[in-house]
Structure formats: structure tokens, C-alpha cells
Amino acid sequence: MSQDSASAAFTSSPAPSASISSSIAPQDSASFWDRITTWASEHKAVVYTIAGVTVVATGAGIYYYSSASSKGTNGAAPSDKKKSKNKRKNKKAGEEKTAEDAAAKKPEPAKVEQVEEEQLPEIDENIVTTMSEQERKDAAAKLKAAGNKAYGSKDYNRAINLYGKAILCRADPVFYSNRAACWNMMSNWDRVIEDTTAAINIDNEYVKALNRRANAYEQSGKFSLALLDYTASCIIDSFRNDSSAASVERLLKKVAEEKGRKILAEKEKKLPSPTFVTNYLQSFRPKPPPKGLEETAELDENTGKGQLQKGIQAMTKKTGDGYTEADAAFEKALELGDLGEYEAFAYNMRGTFKYLKGENEAALDDLNRSVEFQPSLTQSFIKKASMNLELGKNHHLPIIKDAAAQDFETAMQQDESDPDIYYHRAQLNFILNEFSEAAKDYHKSIDLDKDFIFSHIQLGVTQYKMGSLASSMATFRRCVKNFDKVPDVYNYYGELLLDQQKYQEAIEKFDTAVEMEKQTKPLGMNVLPLINKALALFQWKQDFAGAEELCQKALIIDPECDIAVATMAQLLLQQGKVTEALKYFERAAELSRTEGEVVNALSYAEATRTQLEVQEKYPQLANRLQNMGPGMAPAPVMR
């Protein structure tokens, strides 16, 4: 899906939960329908990016910011020759769209010689009943030819009259469609819909009529109906018509945005899954509580300072209930007040949890208050950079980049030795495909603090994206040696191996990560190794049952894990279980935090719903759709 967006988003989200994930769609597939099957991998790239480990390959998708280049499985950039080829292909597609638009407005030519006005037969409902079948056929052809001539002269009313007489002679779908073209030029959308519907009732695979009616529906604001017609048209044409396929994507976005606004208006602001929250929080170096707020400090829980202490302790549980308790405690602390030297810290923590709930503007206000009270609190500037980017997702990327860069610069003015500044700035450079700059900042972050595992992991990912496979693998081997008790190392090493289709080795790494998670965090384990193993089983052995079982385990542990939900939707769609997949796509929309994420999830939900509606309304297309759809996809390969 490539409207005003692209394959990865700078969304300032959890650190270690982004993935080095493989797509499971056909390699040369470019249609939206094929890309639906990659949504779990793409969603990871969108939601789990800036604050942690990003992705090696994601496929195309609907995302917030455009990316100038994409990477293959080895991380190498496409050649200039390939770029030139793609440019020519895009230009050709644009020329085809222009030609098709012109053709859609122009009536189909009559297959008879043009006739003089005096040769046109007199036709009305009474005369038609006296004519033989051949006479009606001949008269209809002459009237159609005259209608086409009138249309060419922009005499649309006369053309409408002539096509109407041709219809009296013969109820031909082409005549209805041509008359609809006249109504189209006059922007009479109701009459366009009426005539194209008549044409489709006669020939329900009449692509030109479907496209004309779809356009009329869209012009009338009936986006769901327009989407249905464009989708049917694409299926009939086997997705060979680039213009119709682009219309499907455009309408999907419109429908999703319309529904998304309603969902967001009614949506309760709450914390995302504990997996998400944990990964976001641990993207910053762990620090002890401010002096005086330690667990051993004796503080009254009914005071602001006591609530800050309570919030800090609740966060250590790393569970959904613990994070909810912490959120409430930080809110209560500021309500009670009398925080003294802890005021800046309180605003920082409340702003952090507001951000996690998707309340970005309120979060940004809190962080601004935080730095007003304590400019030296660099973490607030770092978080501001992330939030400014998310708030500005509809603006021009260079402007957003400059705003974030300024936040990082201000943080460095306060404390240039803070390794978190360089780590998070590296994430900005990474997502902008400025890998050399990103690598420099990861190295700087490591130089300042070699014990923070995620700097090492992200450096390895960056090397992989730069095409330095040997360096990347060496970095991960050092991680295993130096951080052998950290499950995240094995999880992300496994993802890198999975991306290289080294399935057995990847699964071994995921299993190690799962066992470590069970031992070290039994109540709040990171479920991503389970999900990654599920994808590995599917890609390697097409083991749907095993993959689904692992995803279900992940959802039992963390019922609101968006990645588990997305992966289940993906797996079900691959098996042709469209109705079940739809439920998971809709659930993913419910779990989304931000407007962009909601629209992204709803776009896939609407695509899946439309597929079901097409099969119901056009039963004859069901088999055709199954033969080209995700359920019939070949063995998984990397995009």
C-alpha cells in the first residue's frame, strides 16, 4: 500500500520488539492483496521501530513516511539500473492510467459505418414492437454510432437520447455503459450508477461498467461500494490493470480513515500490551530511582512522593496490571503535588505513560514541563524527539527530521556523555536509511556504555542492512558470547538467521530465547520469540497448525499483543480462512495506539472484508479469487 506512506515508520516505539522479519508473500507480487499476507511483518516494522531494534526487510505497506530505497535479503541497496527500470515501469503505469481514464470516459465505438442524420431510424416504444429482431439489431447499431458521434462532439444530451433509443431496440450492456459515460461527463452520478447497474445486471463481468460505477460511487462519497466494484474489476482482470489496483488502494485508505476517525473518537485511551510497554521502557538504559524514592525509603502513599515511589515499584513487575498501577500512581502523584525536586521526574513519567496510551499531545506537554523544571533531564528531550515525529507524521519528512534533530542537539548540550542520546538518534538515521550515520551513533553509544545490549543488537542489524553480512554475524556472535544470559540476543540473532532462510538455526535460537524468558520473567515474558518461531515454522515447513498453536500461546500470555494478533491474521489468510482472518485484523485495529496504526490495520481489515463481499455478490469470481489469493501463495520467500 503505497499512498503517502512507505515501508517503515519512525513511530518511536518499543526497543527490542521490532523484528528482522521475513515476508511470506510471493516474491514478485506487487498487488495489495498479496501484501495483505505480509502485514504481521510490516506491522512490526511500523509499531516497533525507533526505540529499539528495527527490521531488515518488511515488504511494501501503508505507512506514515516515504522511504527512498528498499533492501533485499542481504541488505544491499538496489542498483541504479534497477532504479531506472522501476522508474520506467512507474512512468509506463502512469501512461496506462491516463489512457485508461480517457477510455473510461469514451463510449465504445460502433462496428458500423457512421450514418447521416436522415438515415437514422425513427424509434419509440410502439415502433419497436413492430420490428423484426434483425431490424432492431441494425437500428441499434446505427443509433449507437450516432450516439458516439454526438458524444465526440460533446453533445451529451443528444448522445443520451440516441443511446436511449438504441436500448429500446436492444438491451445491450454497452449501450447502458455508453449512456453512463455521458452522465459521467455531466457529473450526474445517480444516473451513472443507474445505467452502469443496468449494464452489470446483464453482464456482471463488464469491467468498464464496474469501473464507471465505482467512480460514481466514489464521487458520491459511497466509498465502501466503490471499493467493492473496483475490487471485482481487479479480480476479473487478474489484477493486471494498474489503475484499478491503485483505485482499490486509494479507496481502502478512504474507507479506513473514515472508520478510523470514528473508532478513535470512541476509543478508550489505555496502555498497549505489556510486551509493547516493556520493550519501550527498556530502550532506555536502566537507572536507579531518584535518591529518596528508593524502595527502602519510608514514604506515605497518600503523598505525591509516595505515589511516585509506588509507580516506580509497580513498573518492576513488567505485567499489564503493574503498568496500569504505575500509570495511575504517576497521575495521582501530580494531582497530590508537593513533589519538590521530583517535579521534573513526575512529568517525565506521566508523559511517558500518556505517550504509550496514544495521548501524544498531552504527553508532549508533560515533557515540555519536565525540561522546564529540570533542563538536565536529557531523557525528556529524547522522548520529545520521538513524540514530535509521531505528532508530525502528516507533515513533510525533512521538517520532522529537523525538529527531532533539534531535540537531540538540545539533549547533547545538557549532557553529551549520555549514551541514550546517540542510541536514539541512531534510530532516526536508521529509519531514514542513513546507515553510515546510524552506525557511528551506535558505536558512540557502545563506547559510552558497552553493557547496553540493544546498542550491540542494532549495530548488527545496521551492518546487515548495509550488506556487511560477515560483520553483522560477527557482531551477533560477540553478543552471544558477552550477553549469553539475555534472551533478546537469541531472539534477534534468530530473526537475522530466519531472514537468511537458515530455518533450523533460527528455530534453535528462538527456543533458547523462549526458555530464558520463562526462567527469568515467568509472569511478564516477552512473547516475540514464540511469534518468530511461528513464522519460521510456517516459512520452513508450511506448518500452519504448529504456527497457530505458538501464536495462541503468545496470546494467552499477552492477550493484547498486537504482533501475535497480526501474525494470526496473516496465517489464517494464507490458508484461505478469510472470515477468521477478518476478526483478527479488526482486533488489531482495536489494539492500535495511534491514528496511523488504526488506519493501517483497518485498511487490511477492509480489504479482507471486501474479498468476502465480492465472493458473496459475485459467486462466479470466488474460485478465481482463491486461485490467485493468499491461500494459494507459493512457498514463502523474502521480498
Side-chain angles (χ1 to χ4, degrees):
M1 310 172 182
S2 42
Q3 285 95 297
D4 15 85
S5 36
S7 56
F10 187 42
T11 59
S12 324
S13 304
S17 41
S19 70
I20 306 165
S21 52
S22 302
S23 164
I24 63 174
Q27 184 174 19
D28 58 355
S29 169
S31 78
F32 178 83
W33 294 99
D34 292 317
R35 292 204 302 275
I36 295 175
T37 65
T38 72
W39 188 62
S41 298
E42 295 173 346
H43 186 66
K44 278 200 240 183
V46 175
V47 180
Y48 294 85
T49 302
I50 175 60
V53 179
T54 44
V55 300
V56 169
T58 63
I62 295 184
Y63 300 119
Y64 315 150
Y65 305 117
S66 295
S67 176
S69 64
S70 59
K71 307 296 169 188
T73 54
N74 63 357
S79 67
D80 291 339
K81 182 177 180 181
K82 184 174 181 180
K83 290 180 182 177
S84 178
K85 181 179 178 182
N86 290 337
K87 186 174 181 180
R88 292 195 300 272
K89 181 179 179 182
N90 292 337
K91 181 179 179 183
K92 181 180 178 183
E95 292 170 350
E96 289 174 352
K97 183 183 187 303
T98 302
E100 191 210 335
D101 289 344
K105 295 177 181 177
K106 185 177 180 181
E108 297 184 21
K111 297 178 182 179
V112 296
E113 294 182 2
Q114 297 291 336
V115 294
E116 298 298 330
E117 292 294 315
E118 59 271 14
Q119 293 179 305
L120 287 176
E122 286 294 329
I123 295 293
D124 60 30
E125 291 180 358
N126 293 324
I127 293 174
V128 138
T129 60
T130 67
M131 299 170 67
S132 67
E133 183 178 347
Q134 187 60 47
E135 287 173 333
R136 289 197 300 273
K137 183 177 179 181
D138 292 341
K142 291 179 181 180
L143 290 163
K144 177 192 173 187
N148 290 356
K149 183 178 180 181
Y151 181 94
S153 301
K154 299 185 179 181
D155 189 352
Y156 302 123
N157 285 316
R158 174 165 173 74
I160 287 168
N161 179 264
L162 290 165
Y163 290 136
K165 289 182 177 181
I167 290 168
L168 286 176
C169 296
R170 183 182 174 199
D172 190 303
V174 174
F175 302 163
Y176 282 108
S177 183
N178 283 4
R179 189 167 68 178
C182 299
W183 296 122
N184 184 84
M185 298 305 296
M186 300 166 73
S187 300
N188 190 330
W189 310 119
D190 288 341
R191 297 305 294 270
V192 173
I193 292 167
E194 182 182 326
D195 273 349
T196 49
T197 298
I200 294 163
N201 286 340
I202 299 169
D203 179 2
N204 58 15
E205 292 194 19
Y206 190 7
V207 169
K208 187 171 286 189
L210 281 165
N211 286 339
R212 281 188 179 139
R213 187 171 70 177
N215 177 65
Y217 279 141
E218 184 175 359
Q219 296 296 331
S220 303
K222 300 174 181 177
F223 300 138
S224 292
L225 291 172
L227 175 60
L228 183 62
D229 277 353
Y230 274 130
T231 301
S233 168
C234 283
I235 295 169
I236 293 167
D237 270 349
S238 300
F239 290 92
R240 288 190 296 263
N241 187 314
D242 290 341
S243 178
S244 296
S247 295
V248 167
E249 297 195 18
R250 183 181 66 253
L251 266 299
L252 280 169
K253 186 180 180 185
K254 285 186 177 181
V255 172
E257 286 176 340
E258 191 173 57
K259 292 189 175 183
R261 282 190 290 269
K262 183 177 180 181
I263 287 177
L264 287 170
E266 301 172 354
K267 183 180 176 65
E268 175 191 0
K269 294 294 185 180
K270 64 178 184 177
L271 290 171
S273 75
T275 296
F276 185 103
V277 177
T278 297
N279 285 315
Y280 178 76
L281 294 175
Q282 70 183 22
S283 72
F284 294 89
R285 265 83 171 173
K287 295 180 180 179
K291 188 175 181 180
L293 297 179
E294 302 93 342
E295 187 176 0
T296 56
E298 295 183 5
L299 295 171
D300 184 352
E301 193 174 295
N302 295 318
T303 65
K305 295 174 185 177
Q307 285 295 312
L308 284 181
Q309 183 189 56
K310 179 181 179 181
I312 294 169
Q313 292 175 9
M315 288 170 59
T316 63
K317 299 176 185 177
K318 297 185 179 181
T319 63
D321 290 341
Y323 290 134
T324 300
E325 182 182 352
D327 179 32
F330 294 132
E331 184 75 46
K332 186 70 173 177
L334 283 162
E335 289 178 10
L336 292 171
D338 192 25
L339 296 170
E341 62 184 299
Y342 306 118
E343 194 108 21
F345 175 76
Y347 277 109
N348 177 293
M349 295 313 300
R350 187 176 75 172
T352 298
F353 277 83
K354 283 186 179 296
Y355 165 70
L356 288 167
K357 292 187 290 186
E359 301 176 35
N360 289 344
E361 292 185 7
L364 194 56
D365 287 342
D366 275 354
L367 290 175
N368 283 326
R369 294 291 303 277
S370 175
V371 296
E372 287 173 11
F373 283 108
Q374 186 181 339
S376 61
L377 191 56
T378 55
Q379 190 183 100
S380 292
F381 287 108
I382 296 170
K383 292 176 179 177
K384 273 185 63 183
S386 300
M387 293 176 200
N388 275 323
L389 285 166
E390 194 159 301
L391 282 170
K393 61 183 175 290
N394 294 321
H395 299 296
H396 197 47
L397 185 57
I399 297 174
I400 298 167
K401 176 185 174 183
D402 290 344
Q406 183 58 51
D407 287 324
F408 288 125
E409 185 64 31
T410 306
M412 291 176 65
Q413 291 169 5
Q414 297 298 323
D415 183 3
E416 63 179 8
S417 65
D418 185 344
D420 278 342
I421 298 172
Y422 302 97
Y423 175 77
H424 288 273
R425 189 173 68 175
Q427 295 293 81
L428 168 62
N429 288 320
F430 183 100
I431 211 66
L432 295 174
N433 289 336
E434 296 174 2
F435 300 121
S436 294
E437 292 301 312
K440 290 177 185 177
D441 274 342
Y442 290 131
H443 276 297
K444 179 69 173 177
S445 178
I446 292 169
D447 289 342
L448 291 169
D449 177 13
K450 63 181 177 57
D451 295 327
F452 187 62
I453 178 58
F454 300 113
S455 294
H456 297 272
I457 290 175
Q458 188 61 67
L459 175 61
V461 174
T462 302
Q463 292 166 333
Y464 191 82
K465 290 287 282 184
M466 294 172 71
S468 302
L469 181 59
S471 297
S472 175
M473 298 302 287
T475 296
F476 272 94
R477 285 194 294 270
R478 284 195 299 272
C479 287
V480 170
K481 179 181 178 181
N482 297 327
F483 302 92
D484 61 319
K485 302 301 182 184
V486 180
D488 300 275
V489 171
Y490 299 92
N491 181 48
Y492 298 114
Y493 194 5
E495 288 201 4
L496 201 154
L497 293 166
L498 177 59
D499 194 61
Q500 299 171 67
Q501 299 182 12
K502 296 181 178 180
Y503 300 116
Q504 184 64 57
E505 293 178 65
I507 287 175
E508 289 173 1
K509 295 294 185 291
F510 296 142
D511 283 339
T512 300
V514 168
E515 289 306 311
M516 285 186 175
E517 289 283 351
K518 288 179 181 178
Q519 293 169 15
T520 59
K521 296 178 283 185
L523 297 179
M525 70 173 287
N526 185 342
V527 298
L528 291 177
L530 287 170
I531 300 167
N532 285 330
K533 182 180 178 181
L535 288 172
L537 285 177
F538 168 75
Q539 292 177 38
W540 186 18
K541 300 180 178 180
Q542 298 284 294
D543 184 357
F544 288 107
E548 284 187 36
E549 182 181 355
L550 287 167
C551 286
Q552 292 292 1
K553 284 183 180 179
L555 286 169
I556 290 171
I557 297 167
D558 187 352
E560 298 199 346
C561 179
D562 49 353
I563 301 303
V565 171
T567 303
M568 277 296 294
Q570 177 179 355
L571 291 169
L572 291 166
L573 202 61
Q574 282 284 341
Q575 299 172 74
K577 298 177 180 179
V578 183
T579 303
E580 295 174 60
L582 176 59
K583 294 176 183 177
Y584 280 92
F585 281 128
E586 290 174 335
R587 175 63 176 154
E590 293 172 4
L591 294 174
S592 298
R593 291 173 50 252
T594 66
E595 180 182 354
E597 291 168 19
V598 170
V599 171
N600 197 22
L602 284 174
S603 295
Y604 287 97
E606 289 306 312
T608 307
R609 188 194 320 281
T610 302
Q611 179 177 337
L612 287 170
E613 290 176 355
V614 167
Q615 293 182 67
E616 182 178 343
K617 189 170 183 179
Y618 303 100
Q620 77 280 7
L621 298 182
N623 289 335
R624 198 179 307 181
L625 182 60
Q626 289 298 322
N627 288 336
M628 70 177 71
M632 299 296 290
V637 293
M638 275 300 305
R639 275 195 194 269

